Amino acid sequence: MKPPPESSVVVPDSAQPADLLSRVISNDWVNARYKHLVVAAPPQAAQARPGQFFHLLCPDAGGEHPFFRRPMSCYGASPRQGTVEFLYKVAGTGTRSLASLVPGATLPMLGPLGHGFSLEPAWRTIVVVGRGVGLATLAPLAEAAAAAGIAVQAVFSARDRDSVMSVERFEASGARVTVVLDSDGSSDPAKVEALLRRLHVQGMADAFFTCGSTRLLVLLQRLGRELGVPGQVALEQQMACGLGMCFCCVRPFREDDEVVNRRVCWDGPVFDIQEAMP
Amino acid sequence: MKPPPESSVVVPDSAQPADLLSRVISNDWVNARYKHLVVAAPPQAAQARPGQFFHLLCPDAGGEHPFFRRPMSCYGASPRQGTVEFLYKVAGTGTRSLASLVPGATLPMLGPLGHGFSLEPAWRTIVVVGRGVGLATLAPLAEAAAAAGIAVQAVFSARDRDSVMSVERFEASGARVTVVLDSDGSSDPAKVEALLRRLHVQGMADAFFTCGSTRLLVLLQRLGRELGVPGQVALEQQMACGLGMCFCCVRPFREDDEVVNRRVCWDGPVFDIQEAMP
Amino acid sequence: MTDMSVSVGALRLANPIMPASGTFAEGLAEVIDIERLGAVVIKTITTELRAGNPVPRVAEVRSGMLNSIGIPSKGVPYFLERTLPYYRRFAVPLVVSVSAPTVAGFASIAKAVSVPGVAAIEANISCPNLEEDGRAFAMEPRSAATVTAALREATPLPLWVKLTPNVGDIAAVARAAENAGADALVVANTVLAMAIDIDTRRPRLGSIMGGLSGPVIKPIVVRMTYQCAKAVKIPVIGCGGIASAEDAIEYMLAGAAAVQVGTATFVQPSAMLAILDGMEAWCARKGIHRVADLIGAIRDTDLELAPAQY
Amino acid sequence: MTDMSVSVGALRLANPIMPASGTFAEGLAEVIDIERLGAVVIKTITTELRAGNPVPRVAEVRSGMLNSIGIPSKGVPYFLERTLPYYRRFAVPLVVSVSAPTVAGFASIAKAVSVPGVAAIEANISCPNLEEDGRAFAMEPRSAATVTAALREATPLPLWVKLTPNVGDIAAVARAAENAGADALVVANTVLAMAIDIDTRRPRLGSIMGGLSGPVIKPIVVRMTYQCAKAVKIPVIGCGGIASAEDAIEYMLAGAAAVQVGTATFVQPSAMLAILDGMEAWCARKGIHRVADLIGAIRDTDLELAPAQY
Ligand SMILES: Cc1cc2nc3c(=O)[nH]c(=O)nc-3n(C[C@H](O)[C@H](O)[C@H](O)COP(=O)(O)OP(=O)(O)OC[C@H]3O[C@@H](n4cnc5c(N)ncnc54)[C@H](O)[C@@H]3O)c2cc1C
Ligand SMILES: Cc1cc2nc3c(=O)[nH]c(=O)nc-3n(C[C@H](O)[C@H](O)[C@H](O)COP(=O)(O)OP(=O)(O)OC[C@H]3O[C@@H](n4cnc5c(N)ncnc54)[C@H](O)[C@@H]3O)c2cc1C
Ligand SMILES: Cc1cc2nc3c(=O)[nH]c(=O)nc-3n(C[C@H](O)[C@H](O)[C@H](O)COP(=O)(O)O)c2cc1C
Ligand SMILES: Cc1cc2nc3c(=O)[nH]c(=O)nc-3n(C[C@H](O)[C@H](O)[C@H](O)COP(=O)(O)O)c2cc1C
Ligand code: FES
Ligand code: FES
């Protein structure tokens, strides 16, 4: 492994990050495991770009003592309404305490952070493939693509019908959503591969975007390489600082035949799909 | 100093202590610095005797992280109503978090703990001298005395008129309350001494009881020695376990010309007034 | 039903949960059923009568406490005449913690308390060695070995040696105690620490410094338990910040054959029983038939211990 | 208005607040005004290029964190060509933390970074000494002295030596570093610790053990700061668990001439400035005209340090 790349002096591609105090507007369950959090936030926050995230200071509540902040993708940001949205899975200490937030509560959030997705003006249709929390990260991308006149073919993978989320949100932006499920076997890699190849044949795959599943990442890397389709992936790693300072969030990446460590918070969380190592 | 006395195998003088879950009925301000907490508690708790205390598990609330429990005298206990009362000064971490309790909240409390006051059947009138939080400890004593047919002369010392508490409570039990204040000079030791001597001359001082002020303790020790009046004092010391295990709550006591350490939680909190060292 | 029993050397315990010395006394028997414990360990006693340290003796810190109780002791006769008969009414094994300022003093108190009714002796060697500049016996492998060897001579009872965490290389001390004849190690005593009241500018303990205990020290002492368990063949008893069943299990995975619970009992008098019940429920859920199977069961074989590198 | 300036040897700082090495980087300059700090301290660099340790590199524990980042380093040329020019735009003094596996390596990197724009060198000697069994230089007075003397030879810049808390007698190491020519001591690095995930049975850090930091270590490191400040005449910089103005003041009363803030910044990016503002307000409230008057101002002269006695 080579030492991390020189990116540490790079300027981020959006609003200056700041530690902002937001106020909870709503925090409702969308299904048995996910909640949708909407907060009122200062203007900078609402300028978050697709793929960027916030580092949330989860409350010391209900016997939970989260120590670190928790990174959450921006699921939506409306500068006009002054809101920022998150879609999160209630998993451990931090997200359980987040789930206890009631409307009116304050939530300190650091951001917007990281490098988001980029869209090439030349693309006409992109394919967005997500699973689970990955959809939270991909939703703003679909909306940005629509706004830029780029059509979106979305493939949602989920355990079963009840786990499917966000379809309306994607469809509202004009995306075409195909849902594949573990429960009926339609999420089988071979079937998803066939589906993606069909889209490519139809000229509807100028780029691949993915988040939320290692299996899907591996599939898209292989297809992308074979078909010459570029792609981007949003990755996760445990974070302490979120600002590129602690080097705890590194993951390995391929760079010119070498393996380098990059910080997900600072060099990502969005990376070139071929450089990512699952 | 000699090692602590042999009291560690002594059985307490009341209901077996237990860690009980109580429920807050009310928690209201009585003046700018004191709150009155009433909880519904299991029968054992309500059997607490005057001078006994509970060790309260203060909530981890409002950014306060009390680690130890906090000792609080039982300000009242009604086995019939199943309630226990506390009167407390909002001081630091623990009492601030206690102050945040709302009706319906649960409060774990260990007790009743310690050795309370004792009353001799031969006494006809006792003098109870208290200041500040000391009144919380002395109120149940006045009520027990009344129930035993012993008259109570109470002297309350306070900074000013607004700091006076509990007068109605004492008077309701039949006690005669004299209030002395710093603000008008009536709490001056010489004046309080004259008052106590008057009570003694009138045959109304079969025993002295005190809590809450070192100055008053010293005065009562001197007078008691001179006049041959026995007495008891309830003392405070920082506590960890409340059960005689950690030896952190020791204070020095005179015992046959020697100085010994005794545990306030286990050997007290009520001690012979002449043995206490201020 | 999980078999909760564990062996600490020759001594078989009904379960791995016992109090830490100095955090247990008769008072607790009024609140919990102490017969359910694996053992009871009494507060350290010394031959000399002692009053302990000045107050304030405790301070509260974030997620833990500081103490400078010292060792108020009523001496050996009091132990034999009062404490021991009191515990005879319980069937649970009694472990007697002893201390002394000299090697000979350790040997003599160990001998004096090696009487029927005592199941094991725990030597609290985190105390100043008056023969060597007042450094604690447990701070150097050599002095730990010397005192352990003398204790081994002095008593036929199972000998547990309790180490201090205030050392650079606890595994070396552990090996020294093992080689000198210890039957088990208790890892560890409190971590030397202090706190200052910024308003009064005074130390928050009357003796300036004291011992840190509670949840705050758990990650440090889990590490030491792991290091000691790797370094010796005798059982290691883990002790430091255990407050939940999960904490106790973590210590056992790190290599502890049993655990001691101290500070947690001050906050939650029923902590030890709650831990025991919680461990039993956890084992049942995980299909673990013998709690002893957890001892040292950390999955670390494929990992390389990176050279400590900060 | 309180005079917030302090001296660390010959170096005058506008105020006593600076980041701890490894917890600061350019990213923070986007969120806070780093010109307001007393100094900036960069993450330790080494001559060799290094990738750092395996993931997971951090774990959350009660009131603190574990890390095993290691020292990913891009080497000296990167420092000279990229990092240094970046910091030249700020007026705040730049402290460069260096490390090496050998005494000669330490001397050589110290020499290489002794260039204009560098205000002081902080030697992170809590790293394994490859010439002596891999024990950290800071673990023994002798090896600490040897490496400090070599560093002293190699650089005319103010030399700060950063100690490890993982020792039995930190005052002895402090004295050794002072005698060998250190201009100041940083007390201390992280406390060696570990945690295990009981469900997977795996260590929660990829390198099994790692360094504990955050509020959890404050009472331990305040104690060490106090011990070191009593033991040496050179300034001591306190570092461990500082998260509030009160914490920083506590360290100064214990004897620290300045303080470093690490983990707190991860949770609260503005922590250092909040601490600075809070100290200034506190001093104003208390009528303290020079923050430097707090240094070592603990009221302990009438107290006797009880012989450590657990
Ligand atoms: C850039 C980024 C964007 C993310 N966006 C979303 C999102 O929009 N919705 C969503 O539900 N989740 C998202 N995650 C994952 C989310 O951060 C974790 O689910 C969350 O931190 C878990 O915290 P916890 O306290 O509930 O779990 P615990 O297991 O108690 O967490 C313990 C520690 O591990 C870390 N951790 C655990 N799981 C993850 C993970 N998957 N990724 C990173 N750190 C983790 C926590 O942050 C914490 O430090 C994102 C992660 C990253 C890195
Ligand atoms: C037997 C007994 C009965 C008591 N009864 C009452 C009562 O009825 N009403 C009342 O207002 N107060 C009473 N006190 C005092 C009360 O316990 C303290 O005011 C309270 O513990 C302060 O806690 P804090 O967190 O607010 O203060 P902090 O200063 O934050 O407390 C820090 C630590 O010091 C301890 N401490 C601080 N002050 C005292 C004190 N005066 N006595 C003992 N420990 C202290 C705390 O328990 C805690 O461990 C009693 C004390 C004892 C020992
Ligand atoms: C108040 C108190 C008194 C203690 N007294 C003793 C003692 O007498 N002998 C001893 O070996 N350890 C003593 N200890 C240390 C504990 O036995 C234990 O090693 C330490 O507290 C760590 O465990 P914990 O975090 O569970 O409390 C004492 C600890 C406390 C908190
Ligand atoms: C993520 C992380 C990385 C660190 N890297 C270094 C380092 O490179 N060099 C160093 O001397 N100390 C390093 N440290 C130790 C800190 O500088 C500091 O000594 C320690 O964290 C205690 O302070 P704190 O409790 O305020 O964090 C690091 C600490 C953390 C948490
Ligand atoms: S989280 Fe600190 S560098 Fe990424
Ligand atoms: S508080 Fe533990 S002995 Fe009194």
Side-chain angles (χ1 to χ4, degrees):
Chain A
M1 278 199 193
K2 260 215 340 184
E6 308 187 352
S7 47
S8 65
V9 191
V10 152
V11 254
D13 53 0
S14 73
Q16 196 77 351
D19 193 15
L20 306 161
L21 207 60
S22 73
R23 182 172 297 277
V24 175
I25 296 173
S26 63
N27 188 18
D28 302 321
W29 291 99
V30 298
N31 62 32
R33 291 171 303 136
Y34 283 81
K35 286 194 103 169
H36 179 201
L37 172 65
V38 184
V39 300
Q44 295 135 284
Q47 281 163 31
R49 306 239 308 239
Q52 284 195 301
F53 69 99
F54 288 87
H55 215 26
L56 309 183
L57 188 61
C58 305
D60 217 341
E64 305 287 351
H65 304 277
F67 183 73
F68 294 137
R69 291 187 178 225
R70 298 295 194 260
M72 284 295 160
S73 291
C74 176
Y75 176 52
S78 162
R80 209 162 34 81
Q81 294 166 38
T83 57
V84 174
E85 297 170 58
F86 302 97
L87 178 69
Y88 65 99
K89 180 167 161 185
V90 180
T93 309
T95 49
R96 272 197 304 268
S97 87
L98 216 52
S100 76
L101 288 172
V102 293
T106 52
L107 175 67
M109 49 189 236
L110 173 67
L113 297 172
H115 295 271
F117 295 104
S118 55
L119 288 167
E120 306 256 322
W123 293 338
R124 278 169 314 148
T125 313
I126 61 172
V127 180
V128 167
V129 186
R131 188 175 166 104
V133 302
L135 300 177
T137 313
L138 295 168
L141 169 71
E143 285 158 5
I150 302 172
V152 175
Q153 289 285 343
V155 180
F156 287 12
S157 171
R159 199 159 57 184
D160 51 30
R161 185 62 53 193
D162 289 344
S163 310
V164 178
M165 301 175 297
S166 271
V167 175
E168 310 69 33
R169 175 91 172 232
F170 275 72
E171 286 181 344
S173 76
R176 255 219 31 229
V177 179
T178 310
V179 172
V180 299
L181 301 174
D182 301 352
S183 54
D184 65 9
S186 55
S187 69
D188 187 85
K191 294 200 178 136
V192 176
E193 177 169 349
L195 170 64
L196 294 170
R197 284 186 184 277
R198 261 197 317 276
L199 289 172
H200 181 252
V201 167
Q202 293 163 9
M204 296 203 285
D206 292 333
F208 290 141
F209 291 84
T210 191
C211 182
S213 159
T214 305
R215 223 171 51 170
L216 291 173
L217 167 61
V218 171
L219 170 61
L220 289 171
Q221 284 182 323
R222 181 163 53 75
L223 275 185
R225 247 188 335 264
E226 180 192 323
L227 306 172
V229 176
Q232 294 163 35
V233 59
L235 293 172
E236 293 183 1
Q237 183 63 285
Q238 193 181 3
M239 293 184 180
C241 73
L243 281 172
M245 303 191 288
C246 70
F247 286 85
C248 81
C249 65
V250 296
R251 292 179 61 116
F253 291 85
R254 255 172 278 192
E255 192 180 284
D256 320 326
D257 287 340
E258 274 189 297
V259 172
V260 298
N261 274 333
R262 291 192 197 148
R263 290 161 293 180
V264 170
C265 74
W266 188 256
D267 305 311
V270 174
F271 294 91
D272 182 283
I273 205 167
Q274 296 301 345
E275 292 181 1
M277 293 176 63
Chain B
M1 281 199 191
K2 207 144 107 174
E6 307 187 350
S7 51
S8 65
V9 190
V10 152
V11 257
D13 54 0
S14 75
Q16 196 76 354
D19 194 14
L20 306 160
L21 208 60
S22 73
R23 183 171 298 276
V24 175
I25 295 174
S26 63
N27 187 18
D28 302 321
W29 291 99
V30 297
N31 62 31
R33 292 171 305 138
Y34 283 82
K35 287 194 102 168
H36 179 202
L37 172 64
V38 183
V39 301
Q44 295 136 283
Q47 282 163 31
R49 305 238 308 238
Q52 286 196 300
F53 70 97
F54 288 88
H55 215 24
L56 308 183
L57 188 62
C58 306
D60 217 338
E64 305 288 350
H65 303 278
F67 183 72
F68 294 137
R69 290 184 178 226
R70 298 295 193 261
M72 283 296 159
S73 290
C74 176
Y75 176 53
S78 163
R80 209 162 35 80
Q81 293 167 38
T83 56
V84 174
E85 297 171 58
F86 302 97
L87 179 69
Y88 64 99
K89 181 168 160 184
V90 180
T93 311
T95 49
R96 272 197 303 268
S97 88
L98 217 50
S100 75
L101 288 173
V102 293
T106 53
L107 174 67
M109 49 187 235
L110 173 67
L113 296 172
H115 296 273
F117 295 104
S118 55
L119 288 167
E120 307 255 323
W123 292 337
R124 279 169 314 152
T125 314
I126 60 171
V127 180
V128 167
V129 186
R131 187 177 166 102
V133 302
L135 301 177
T137 314
L138 296 168
L141 169 70
E143 284 158 6
I150 302 172
V152 175
Q153 289 285 343
V155 180
F156 287 12
S157 171
R159 200 161 55 186
D160 51 30
R161 186 63 51 191
D162 288 345
S163 309
V164 179
M165 301 175 295
S166 272
V167 175
E168 310 69 34
R169 177 91 173 232
F170 275 71
E171 287 181 342
S173 75
R176 256 217 32 226
V177 179
T178 310
V179 172
V180 298
L181 301 174
D182 302 352
S183 54
D184 64 10
S186 55
S187 70
D188 185 84
K191 294 198 180 141
V192 176
E193 178 170 347
L195 170 63
L196 295 170
R197 285 185 184 275
R198 259 194 320 275
L199 290 172
H200 181 252
V201 167
Q202 294 163 5
M204 297 204 285
D206 293 334
F208 290 142
F209 290 84
T210 190
C211 182
S213 157
T214 304
R215 224 171 47 168
L216 292 173
L217 167 60
V218 171
L219 172 61
L220 290 171
Q221 284 182 323
R222 183 164 51 77
L223 276 186
R225 244 185 341 259
E226 178 192 326
L227 307 172
V229 176
Q232 294 165 34
V233 59
L235 294 171
E236 294 185 358
Q237 183 61 288
Q238 194 181 5
M239 295 184 179
C241 73
L243 281 172
M245 303 192 288
C246 70
F247 287 85
C248 81
C249 65
V250 296
R251 292 180 61 116
F253 291 86
R254 253 173 265 158
E255 192 180 282
D256 320 325
D257 287 340
E258 274 190 294
V259 172
V260 298
N261 275 331
R262 291 192 196 146
R263 290 161 292 182
V264 170
C265 74
W266 187 255
D267 305 311
V270 175
F271 295 91
D272 182 282
I273 205 169
Q274 296 301 344
E275 292 182 0
M277 292 174 64
Chain C
M1 272 282 295
T2 305
D3 174 1
M4 293 299 287
S5 69
V6 294
S7 295
V8 176
L11 194 64
R12 187 117 196 123
L13 307 179
N15 65 67
I17 309 297
M18 65 186 101
S21 176
T23 66
F24 178 80
E26 298 88 324
L28 198 62
E30 298 183 0
V31 183
I32 69 163
D33 177 6
I34 68 168
E35 297 266 21
R36 293 191 55 211
L37 300 173
V40 300
V41 183
I42 62 160
K43 177 152 183 83
T44 303
I45 59 170
T46 57
T47 302
E48 324 77 67
L49 306 189
R50 298 182 188 219
N53 288 333
V55 292
R57 287 179 168 190
V58 287
E60 181 173 86
V61 297
R62 179 67 88 85
S63 304
M65 69 178 276
L66 289 178
N67 92 79
S68 61
I69 305 295
I71 305 193
S73 170
K74 293 176 238 165
V76 174
Y78 184 90
F79 167 75
L80 295 174
E81 288 154 31
R82 304 306 225 77
T83 314
L84 190 57
Y86 173 84
Y87 284 104
R88 282 235 175 80
R89 78 185 72 164
F90 303 106
V92 58
L94 177 68
V95 179
V96 178
S97 172
V98 298
S99 190
T102 61
V103 172
F106 258 110
S108 119
I109 192 168
K111 193 167 213 160
V113 301
S114 293
V115 294
V118 175
I121 289 180
E122 181 175 297
N124 174 5
I125 65 168
S126 305
C127 55
N129 176 350
L130 295 191
E131 291 157 334
E132 300 211 11
D133 283 348
R135 275 171 81 88
F137 291 94
M139 285 198 56
E140 301 290 346
R142 207 177 36 78
S143 49
T146 310
V147 71
T148 304
L151 283 159
R152 179 69 300 164
E153 278 272 288
T155 180
L157 288 176
L159 173 63
W160 301 358
V161 173
K162 183 166 178 182
L163 305 185
T164 175
N166 302 302
V167 292
D169 183 0
I170 198 166
V173 183
R175 273 188 297 262
E178 175 183 44
N179 292 336
D183 292 307
L185 302 174
V186 181
V187 177
N189 217 304
T190 52
V191 180
L192 194 63
M194 77 184 274
I196 304 168
D197 181 316
I198 64 169
D199 290 313
T200 63
R201 299 192 179 183
R202 298 187 71 83
R204 287 173 56 201
L205 292 179
S207 58
I208 308 182
M209 302 182 195
L212 182 64
S213 62
V216 79
I217 65 169
K218 192 187 71 169
I220 303 171
V221 188
V222 166
R223 180 264 294 180
M224 292 183 170
T225 299
Y226 176 79
Q227 290 178 312
C228 291
K230 293 265 181 211
V232 299
K233 291 198 184 61
I234 53 176
V236 172
I237 298 165
C239 174
I242 297 172
S244 68
E246 290 72 22
D247 295 339
I249 294 163
E250 185 175 1
Y251 268 92
M252 291 189 74
L253 293 172
V259 298
Q260 296 185 344
V261 178
T263 302
T265 300
F266 297 165
V267 178
Q268 208 66 62
S270 59
M272 287 186 283
L273 300 185
I275 289 169
L276 181 57
D277 293 340
M279 284 179 88
E280 203 161 347
W282 187 88
C283 288
R285 231 168 31 243
K286 296 270 174 178
I288 292 165
H289 300 296
R290 299 174 55 240
V291 77
D293 290 343
L294 296 174
I295 303 168
I298 183 174
R299 289 180 49 210
D300 59 355
T301 42
D302 55 336
L303 296 175
E304 221 184 308
L305 192 61
Q309 179 83 68
Y310 322 91
Chain D
M1 270 284 293
T2 304
D3 173 2
M4 294 298 287
S5 70
V6 293
S7 295
V8 177
L11 194 63
R12 186 116 197 124
L13 306 180
N15 65 66
I17 309 297
M18 65 184 101
S21 175
T23 65
F24 178 82
E26 298 87 325
L28 197 63
E30 296 183 1
V31 182
I32 69 163
D33 176 6
I34 68 168
E35 297 266 21
R36 293 192 54 211
L37 299 172
V40 301
V41 183
I42 61 158
K43 179 155 180 80
T44 303
I45 59 169
T46 57
T47 302
E48 324 78 66
L49 305 189
R50 297 183 189 218
N53 289 332
V55 291
R57 286 179 170 190
V58 286
E60 180 172 85
V61 295
R62 179 67 88 82
S63 305
M65 68 178 278
L66 289 177
N67 92 78
S68 61
I69 306 296
I71 304 191
S73 170
K74 294 177 237 167
V76 174
Y78 183 90
F79 167 76
L80 295 173
E81 289 154 31
R82 302 308 223 76
T83 314
L84 190 57
Y86 173 83
Y87 285 104
R88 282 234 175 80
R89 78 185 74 164
F90 304 105
V92 60
L94 178 69
V95 179
V96 178
S97 172
V98 299
S99 192
T102 61
V103 172
F106 259 109
S108 117
I109 191 167
K111 190 167 216 159
V113 301
S114 294
V115 295
V118 175
I121 290 181
E122 180 174 299
N124 174 6
I125 64 167
S126 305
C127 56
N129 175 350
L130 293 190
E131 291 157 331
E132 300 213 11
D133 283 349
R135 275 170 81 89
F137 291 94
M139 284 198 58
E140 301 290 346
R142 207 177 36 76
S143 48
T146 310
V147 71
T148 304
L151 282 159
R152 179 68 299 165
E153 278 274 286
T155 180
L157 287 177
L159 173 62
W160 301 358
V161 173
K162 183 167 178 181
L163 305 185
T164 174
N166 302 302
V167 293
D169 183 0
I170 197 166
V173 183
R175 273 188 298 263
E178 175 183 44
N179 291 336
D183 293 307
L185 303 175
V186 182
V187 177
N189 217 305
T190 52
V191 180
L192 194 62
M194 75 184 275
I196 305 169
D197 181 317
I198 65 169
D199 290 314
T200 63
R201 300 192 178 184
R202 298 187 71 85
R204 288 173 56 200
L205 293 179
S207 58
I208 307 182
M209 299 181 196
L212 183 64
S213 62
V216 81
I217 66 169
K218 192 188 70 168
I220 303 172
V221 188
V222 166
R223 181 262 294 179
M224 293 182 168
T225 299
Y226 176 77
Q227 290 178 312
C228 290
K230 293 264 179 210
V232 300
K233 292 199 184 57
I234 53 176
V236 171
I237 298 164
C239 174
I242 296 171
S244 68
E246 290 73 21
D247 294 340
I249 293 163
E250 186 177 0
Y251 267 92
M252 292 190 72
L253 293 173
V259 297
Q260 296 185 345
V261 178
T263 303
T265 299
F266 296 165
V267 177
Q268 208 66 63
S270 58
M272 286 186 284
L273 300 186
I275 290 169
L276 181 56
D277 292 340
M279 284 178 87
E280 203 160 348
W282 187 87
C283 288
R285 230 169 29 243
K286 297 268 175 180
I288 292 165
H289 300 296
R290 300 174 54 239
V291 77
D293 290 342
L294 296 174
I295 301 168
I298 182 173
R299 290 180 47 210
D300 59 355
T301 42
D302 55 337
L303 296 175
E304 219 185 305
L305 193 61
Q309 180 84 64
Y310 322 92

